[in-house]
Amino acid sequence: MSAGSTENDGQGMIVNPKPTADNQDWDGDDADRADRLRFEEEQAMIREQSEERAHTKHASEAAKDSED
C-alpha cells in the first residue's frame, strides 16, 4: 500500500457487531425513562426559578412604586 492510496483501510469506521434487528433502541427502555424523568425534573426546576424571579421582580417594583 502506497502513502498516497485512497483505499479505505477500515480506520475510523464504526463496526456494529450485532445485526440491526437485534440492536435497536426501543422506546420505553429504562435508559429512555430515566432520561425523560431527568428532563422533566430540569424543566420543573427552570419553571420554578422563572416564577421566583418574576415574583421577586414584581415585589421589588411594587416596593419601589410605594416609595415614590
Side-chain angles (χ1 to χ4, degrees), residues 51-66:
E51 290 170 359
E52 287 174 11
R53 279 191 216 115
H55 184 272
T56 302
K57 182 178 178 184
H58 290 297
S60 67
E61 288 175 356
K64 186 178 179 182
D65 289 342
S66 67

Side-chain angles (χ1 to χ4, degrees), residues 2-21:
S2 66
S5 174
T6 58
E7 255 182 67
N8 187 353
D9 61 0
Q11 287 189 330
M13 294 183 65
I14 298 172
V15 178
N16 187 356
K18 294 181 183 177
T20 306

Side-chain angles (χ1 to χ4, degrees), residues 2-68:
S2 66
S5 174
T6 58
E7 255 182 67
N8 187 353
D9 61 0
Q11 287 189 330
M13 294 183 65
I14 298 172
V15 178
N16 187 356
K18 294 181 183 177
T20 306
D22 295 336
N23 196 25
Q24 292 183 3
D25 183 22
W26 299 103
D27 282 338
D29 66 3
D30 290 336
D32 288 339
R33 282 191 288 275
D35 287 343
R36 200 173 306 117
L37 179 61
R38 194 174 306 115
F39 178 77
E40 290 171 3
E41 289 173 347
E42 289 173 355
Q43 292 301 308
M45 186 172 54
I46 290 168
R47 213 174 300 116
E48 288 174 4
Q49 290 173 349
S50 296
E51 290 170 359
E52 287 174 11
R53 279 191 216 115
H55 184 272
T56 302
K57 182 178 178 184
H58 290 297
S60 67
E61 288 175 356
K64 186 178 179 182
D65 289 342
S66 67
E67 290 175 1
D68 292 339

